[in-house]
Amino acid sequence: IAKNVYCAGAGTAADLQHTTELMESQMELMRLATGTQPRVCTVVRRLSTMLFKYQGYIGCALVLGGVDVTGPHLYQIYPHGSTDCLPFTTMGSGSLAAMSILESEYKDDMTIDEGKALVAKAIRAGIFNDLGSGGNVDVCVITKEGGTIFRNMEKPNERKFKAQYRGFPKGTTPVLKEEIRKLVTIESGDVTMSG
């Protein structure tokens, strides 16, 4: 969303992409207008207001994190617009399994490597205990200098076999009726609609 604010989401992919791109453009315009990096609470407030306006019909469950002048922040934003500021959080269909790992192993003052390992373990728990979760682990580390996304940090559940596409041969579906209608006629440059 900004150099200092990143988010991950669960829900409808199109809604997630559109919502985060919209927020990214709004935060860039605000950064250009004010000359400062946006605060995390500003992004959360705008997302919350927008999602509340649509009463949960935008399928976006977001985990938003960032570092600003007031320090590091981690928020959970529900599709109907409610928010929570927490030390750790999970969203999505694998969130219960992931939360069980975070609740049992999280501690304050973890190093970046310890944090990455814990988040990867939590995501793995979500992957293996939920059929709706993906098959790779992506981790994002946000510091005051900016964020770094570690894509495909692990692929614990990689697809071994992929079904080959076989098209249907012609004649599989019978054609019951074929009718072609002429809907437009052109006479001397004038277009006349038929019908």
Side-chain angles (χ1 to χ4, degrees):
I1 292 182
K3 183 184 168 201
N4 61 322
V5 180
Y6 285 76
C7 82
T12 308
D15 288 351
L16 290 162
Q17 184 172 354
H18 180 73
T19 300
T20 53
E21 286 175 354
L22 177 70
M23 202 53 50
E24 182 181 359
S25 69
Q26 287 182 10
M27 291 302 106
E28 179 63 13
L29 289 172
M30 191 179 103
R31 185 189 68 78
L32 292 170
T34 62
T36 61
Q37 287 292 339
R39 291 180 57 176
V40 179
C41 64
T42 304
V43 180
V44 170
R45 178 64 181 205
R46 287 198 183 188
L47 279 168
S48 173
T49 302
M50 187 191 91
L51 292 172
F52 179 77
K53 182 169 67 173
Y54 288 97
Q55 293 291 298
Y57 286 103
I58 295 179
C60 285
L62 302 168
V63 173
L64 185 135
V67 178
D68 58 22
V69 294
T70 61
H73 304 279
L74 184 67
Y75 284 89
Q76 175 175 332
I77 306 171
Y78 286 93
H80 56 272
S82 69
T83 63
D84 290 318
C85 184
L86 302 162
F88 56 87
T89 186
T90 61
M91 292 294 269
S93 59
S95 64
L96 293 177
M99 185 58 87
S100 68
I101 299 295
L102 292 176
E103 284 179 343
S104 63
E105 298 184 25
Y106 173 83
K107 57 185 185 284
D108 290 332
D109 300 322
M110 296 176 81
T111 66
I112 289 177
D113 288 333
E114 288 173 336
K116 283 169 53 179
L118 178 60
V119 169
K121 185 175 180 181
I123 294 172
R124 276 195 313 276
I127 289 170
F128 289 122
N129 293 293
D130 173 64
L131 295 175
S133 294
N136 62 319
V137 176
D138 296 341
V139 175
C140 180
V141 176
I142 309 166
T143 61
K144 57 186 167 189
E145 286 79 34
T148 306
I149 299 174
F150 298 93
R151 289 249 182 244
N152 298 322
M153 191 170 115
E154 295 177 16
K155 291 186 177 184
N157 196 18
E158 205 163 355
R159 188 183 294 186
K160 294 188 187 315
F161 305 103
K162 189 173 181 181
Q164 295 294 320
Y165 173 74
R166 285 180 239 138
F168 294 103
K170 283 190 175 187
T172 302
T173 305
V175 177
L176 301 177
K177 180 179 173 184
E178 187 174 311
E179 181 181 340
I180 299 173
R181 294 184 183 180
K182 191 171 182 181
L183 300 175
V184 177
T185 50
I186 301 174
E187 297 173 4
S188 68
D190 296 332
V191 177
T192 314
M193 298 299 287
S194 304

